[in-house]
Amino acid sequence: MKIVVDDKIPYIREKLAILADNVVYLRGSEIKADDVRDADALIVRTRTRCDEQLLAGSRVQFVATATIGFDHIDTNYMAHSGIYWTNCPGCNAGSVAQYLECSLLLLQQQKGLDLQRATIGIVGCGHVGSKVKAVAERMGMRVLVCDPPLEQAITHHSSPTTFVPLDVIEREADVITFHVPLSREGQYATWHLGNADFFHHLSRVPYIINTSRGGVVDNAALLQALEEGRVRDAILDVWEGEPNLNLDLLNRVFIGTPHIAGYSADGKVNADNMVIDALCQHFGLSHPGHILPPSLPADFKYTGSALDLYNPLIDSEKLKNDPSKFELLRNNYPLRREKL
């Protein structure tokens, strides 16, 4: 059995060596049709476009992306070709929630945001958004949630969440954070959900946070809104045109990081284990056992603050110092744990 794997997926090699006699590791953005022609399975991240151009004529019958998002997978082609595919929903939700918690603490410490008197608008309340909601409530914030697809799905069922339209968030939120998949078509398309009209409708000059997909927020419109004072400041982990960023926007935002909000070791291990589970189930393989995240260094000092475990300003400083290292910083991310 041959498996082709993105070489930046951590912690998974020992288990895959048990499962297959031929495992090839390649840079995700450089995986080509010739590389997968005789492969049975493909394990990727967001940098590999899985479509007809890559997979036509190959032996691949299983594709897994070790990510929540799957807009890099042509699902219509997969269905038409009989190729099984899977993503890892919720794998790094805790990691993104940690990123949000630490970012909110920094807004409080360095920008003077009074969290207990502030309203946060959460756009998208799935795996990630629901955890962010819990974090914000724990921090004493008033929470507004907008998620029309989810609201419609649970219309006839009781729900602890009260939903509001986006225009309520535009009027009442001091912080607006996006946690939606990227989609360009359909009733609930999210591409450029944060566009010029959205920014013109804002009432409270809020902070904008985007950790979902770069295209969810129109980067040019956000920069203009910042310059015009419609947005107080911004925290961006995802960007249009990654890894080629709008440098003016990068230099303008409070925190700008290289698409690593979900990059805790805990989140990566969750994804690895979900991939291994799916691989074993699909091919009828004996399970090699689950992976555990690595421990923090023995000299790690914890004072009780969430910022001890993670401070996104450190990642921001690295990216702002040298934006050309976007992919390098992302692909060589240091150990980060969500808990001790």
Side-chain angles (χ1 to χ4, degrees):
M1 179 180 181
K2 179 178 178 179
I3 307 175
V4 174
V5 188
D6 183 313
D7 66 359
K8 296 303 185 293
I9 297 176
Y11 314 128
I12 201 171
R13 296 191 180 214
E14 180 181 349
K15 301 300 183 183
L16 290 182
I18 297 171
L19 294 171
D21 54 6
N22 187 3
V23 185
V24 178
Y25 292 90
L26 300 170
R27 186 174 180 178
S29 60
E30 297 177 355
I31 296 175
K32 300 294 188 294
D34 285 346
D35 300 318
V36 303
R37 199 170 307 281
D38 61 344
D40 302 285
L42 177 61
I43 302 174
V44 301
R45 299 183 305 152
T46 57
R47 291 300 188 253
T48 306
R49 175 67 184 169
C50 299
D51 55 12
E52 182 175 7
Q53 182 177 350
L54 179 68
L55 298 169
S58 76
R59 201 171 68 198
V60 173
Q61 58 172 287
F62 174 95
V63 173
T65 179
T67 60
I68 292 178
F70 55 89
D71 45 284
H72 54 293
I73 295 179
D74 185 339
T75 57
N76 290 329
Y77 174 75
M78 295 291 171
H80 177 74
S81 302
I83 300 174
Y84 176 83
W85 71 273
T86 185
N87 63 323
C88 298
C91 64
N92 61 0
S95 179
V96 179
Q98 179 190 44
Y99 183 99
L100 261 291
E101 178 180 7
C102 294
S103 295
L104 290 170
L105 288 172
L106 289 167
L107 286 176
Q108 178 174 255
Q109 291 180 5
Q110 299 200 18
K111 298 292 182 177
L113 177 66
D114 186 342
L115 295 177
Q116 295 193 341
R117 293 188 177 184
T119 296
I120 186 170
I122 299 173
V123 184
C125 198
H127 291 287
V128 176
S130 59
K131 285 188 177 291
V132 171
K133 177 176 179 287
V135 164
E137 289 173 341
R138 188 174 70 246
M139 299 175 88
M141 302 183 77
R142 175 181 176 236
V143 177
L144 299 174
V145 174
C146 175
D147 193 324
L150 181 59
E151 182 180 11
Q152 184 180 49
I154 63 175
T155 298
H156 302 296
H157 304 280
S158 61
S159 170
T161 300
T162 299
F163 297 94
V164 301
L166 187 60
D167 61 353
V168 173
I169 286 178
E170 291 171 346
R171 291 196 306 269
E172 300 184 18
D174 303 292
V175 179
I176 301 174
T177 181
F178 293 90
H179 302 286
V180 295
L182 180 63
S183 58
R184 291 176 174 266
E185 300 176 350
Q187 181 180 1
Y188 302 119
T190 61
W191 183 76
H192 281 191
L193 186 62
N195 56 20
D197 285 344
F198 170 84
F199 294 122
H200 277 282
H201 291 149
L202 299 175
S203 298
R204 299 180 62 83
V205 193
Y207 297 96
I208 298 295
I209 303 175
N210 187 17
T211 57
S212 56
R213 284 290 184 267
V216 169
V217 172
D218 182 333
N219 283 196
L222 173 58
L223 179 58
Q224 184 174 353
L226 285 163
E227 292 174 341
E228 292 176 350
R230 298 178 186 275
V231 170
R232 196 172 306 275
D233 216 323
I235 295 172
L236 296 182
D237 181 57
V238 290
W239 311 78
E240 291 194 278
E242 293 178 15
N244 301 309
L245 313 184
N246 181 326
L247 297 183
D248 291 333
L249 181 59
L250 173 62
N251 290 325
R252 180 63 179 76
V253 300
F254 174 42
I255 296 173
T257 51
H259 201 155
I260 47 71
Y263 266 34
S264 71
D266 307 71
K268 292 179 180 181
V269 165
N270 288 341
D272 288 352
N273 286 329
M274 293 170 80
V275 167
I276 290 168
D277 289 347
L279 185 72
C280 290
Q281 182 174 359
H282 183 80
F283 289 101
L285 304 173
S286 296
H287 202 290
H290 281 146
I291 303 165
L292 297 176
S295 300
L296 288 165
D299 59 354
F300 174 78
K301 292 181 174 58
Y302 183 62
T303 67
S305 170
L307 292 171
D308 292 335
L309 282 168
Y310 178 57
N311 187 332
L313 276 176
I314 296 172
D315 286 328
S316 181
E317 183 179 1
K318 290 177 181 177
L319 181 61
K320 289 185 176 186
N321 283 342
D322 192 347
S324 69
K325 291 183 177 178
F326 187 99
E327 290 289 75
L328 182 66
L329 293 170
R330 193 167 188 253
N331 291 333
N332 298 276
Y333 195 65
L335 174 65
R336 168 180 150 207
R337 290 298 310 274
E338 296 172 29
K339 53 191 175 183
L340 295 176

